Amino acid sequence: MFAPLAVRDFRLLFLGLLLGQALTPFQFVAQIIWVQLSAPEDLRIVLVGLIAAVRGAGMLLFGLYGGALADRFDRRKLLIATQAGALVLNVAIGVVMVFGSPEGATLLLFYALTFGASALMSIDLPTRQAIVPDIVGRQLTTAGIALNAGGGQIALPVALVGTGFVIDAFGAGVGYLVGSAAHVAQLAALAFMRIRTGRGASLGLAPAAALRDIRAGLVYTRGEPVILWVVVLLVAMMGFGFPAVANLGPTWITTVVGVPVRHFGLVAATWGIGALLASMALARFSRYERKGRIVAISAVVFGLSFLVFGGGHTVANAVIGNFGLGVSMASAQIAGTALIQLIAPADFRGRVMSLLNLSMGVAQLVTLPLAALGQWISLEVLFPVLALLLLAVTGAVLATRRALWRVRV
């Protein structure tokens, strides 16, 4: 279960991720609360959804390019560059939130900086995922991925609880600046790592070369049916479920369920607790070969948990549904990532992972139209409909693509 921690560079990567994940929720929640508390009632949900849409646009526009860069350059140096850039942009966002109000030019600057930070993270994420097998080797890849996920979830419940208190006491802008320290922690850990992946700047940054790399990655993925349908299933989960339960979740919990902002984290932390338990279980049983079956079952559980979360307006629905969402989302992502990492060759790993990460970009981007629809018909109507649609799509994929159930790695 803990074997990857015996590798020095993995310990540093894990520690940086642990500290980073402890602070990142401050950024995510602070942005939503900053807009939500000041926006007009008839635009509140739409403006909150626009935050996610801007993030999604950055991910979709730069995600595939980020995967190509991860296969073209030294992955450690690329991570250092993205984290340094993200630190500058996120400090700027925090300053805007402290000294400005969500209106006019200030709001435009806020969204523009958010887009830039998201674009950098769309390069960071596939690079971070692709470097794990480089560090720990094939045999420990699944355990390494699960431990990384579990490490983040150890900090997440505590961070979510603290987020509400910090924002309530000091304001959303200060809360966001606290979250920006996550990038400092990541940079410190990366600086001490020794891993070199054998790539250099001589490979070039030319757009034409990057486009050729992206095209080759798409061709490879299309020719691997297991990888293709894992990506499709995770995109469906993220596209139908994540915009509601994550991006609009804070609004749902604080307005529909009626939990005060100060206590929001106590409810939201149940997602992190569920994800932590799932991550630790998958780290412990990382040699279980039928990872496709884990992805399939997790997708179904995610849809059912979403139905519980959005099917009632009580704290109990929010807590139980959120816990199930955390368990199933973590299980699907860890098993799906490990499956792809173990099938894809090293030279394609970054590009294939960038395709998987497009699911997050899709989820963020569709938040805006869903938020507009929720503003019109109400979130109370929208959430159950989305949950039923997700279950229908998941059932259709699993019924027609039996290879997901049978694959062994």
Side-chain angles (χ1 to χ4, degrees):
M1 179 174 178
F2 297 107
L5 293 175
V7 182
R8 177 185 179 275
D9 277 351
F10 183 82
R11 287 198 304 273
L12 288 167
L13 187 73
F14 177 80
L15 180 60
L17 183 70
L18 183 67
L19 295 173
Q21 289 294 321
L23 297 169
T24 299
F26 284 87
Q27 294 180 332
F28 178 76
V29 177
Q31 282 190 312
I32 294 174
I33 299 300
W34 185 69
V35 171
Q36 180 180 309
L37 292 180
S38 304
E41 181 71 23
D42 59 340
L43 291 176
R44 181 179 61 195
I45 297 176
V46 173
L47 290 177
V48 168
L50 185 58
I51 299 172
V54 167
R55 289 199 200 105
M59 292 178 181
L60 288 176
L61 288 174
F62 290 90
L64 294 177
Y65 187 61
L69 293 180
D71 289 337
R72 186 169 278 269
F73 287 90
D74 183 286
R75 288 167 179 157
R76 172 183 165 272
K77 292 180 179 178
L78 187 57
L79 287 172
I80 291 174
T82 57
Q83 286 295 324
L87 174 62
V88 172
L89 289 177
N90 281 299
V91 168
I93 293 171
V95 171
V96 168
M97 291 171 63
V98 170
F99 295 103
S101 59
E103 58 187 16
T106 301
L107 197 58
L108 289 176
L109 178 60
F110 167 79
Y111 285 124
L113 290 170
T114 299
F115 174 84
S118 175
L120 285 173
M121 286 301 97
S122 72
I123 299 172
D124 182 276
L125 188 55
T127 308
R128 187 174 300 278
Q129 293 168 327
I131 203 173
V132 172
D134 294 332
I135 295 173
V136 301
R138 179 181 176 86
Q139 187 175 11
L140 296 178
T141 290
T142 303
I145 293 169
L147 277 176
N148 268 343
Q153 302 306 337
I154 289 172
L156 186 60
V158 178
L160 283 172
V161 172
T163 298
F165 288 100
V166 170
I167 293 174
D168 184 65
F170 302 104
V174 173
Y176 195 90
L177 287 173
V178 170
S180 297
H183 304 296
V184 177
Q186 300 273 21
L187 283 168
L190 290 165
F192 286 100
M193 289 172 59
R194 298 170 182 164
I195 182 74
R196 299 293 184 273
T197 55
R199 298 165 177 83
S202 60
L203 290 170
L205 265 171
L211 288 175
R212 286 196 299 270
D213 287 351
I214 292 170
R215 189 180 301 113
L218 291 172
V219 170
Y220 171 79
T221 302
R222 187 175 60 186
E224 287 285 349
V226 171
I227 292 179
L228 176 63
W229 287 103
V230 166
V231 171
V232 169
L233 198 57
L234 289 175
V235 167
M237 290 173 62
M238 298 296 287
F240 285 102
F242 198 82
V245 299
N247 295 330
L248 299 177
T251 301
W252 172 272
I253 293 172
T254 56
T255 59
V256 177
V257 180
V259 176
V261 171
R262 186 175 183 83
H263 299 138
F264 158 77
L266 297 174
V267 176
T270 55
W271 176 300
I273 294 170
L276 170 62
L277 294 176
S279 301
M280 292 297 95
L282 287 174
R284 172 64 181 83
F285 299 103
S286 60
R287 295 189 181 184
Y288 179 70
E289 296 178 349
R290 295 191 180 274
K291 294 176 174 62
R293 185 171 296 177
I294 297 175
V295 176
I297 294 172
S298 298
V300 175
V301 174
F302 184 85
L304 294 173
S305 300
F306 184 13
L307 194 58
V308 172
F309 181 83
H313 309 154
T314 68
V315 174
N317 281 92
V319 168
I320 296 171
N322 220 31
F323 178 82
L325 289 165
V327 170
S328 53
M329 178 59 78
S331 300
Q333 289 186 326
I334 292 169
T337 299
L339 189 63
I340 292 171
Q341 297 274 43
L342 293 170
I343 293 177
D347 289 342
F348 280 92
R349 197 182 298 142
R351 281 165 283 177
V352 177
M353 290 312 304
S354 70
L355 280 173
L356 180 61
N357 294 330
L358 285 183
S359 64
M360 178 62 77
V362 170
Q364 302 283 19
L365 195 60
V366 301
T367 301
L368 180 58
L370 289 178
L373 185 59
Q375 186 81 62
W376 178 44
I377 65 174
S378 80
L379 295 180
E380 293 92 323
V381 175
L382 178 65
F383 277 26
V385 171
L386 288 175
L388 292 173
L389 285 173
L390 174 58
L391 285 169
V393 171
T394 301
V397 171
L398 296 181
T400 57
R401 302 295 168 181
R402 300 294 181 88
L404 285 174
W405 296 93
R406 294 192 297 264
V407 63
R408 302 171 70 96
V409 179

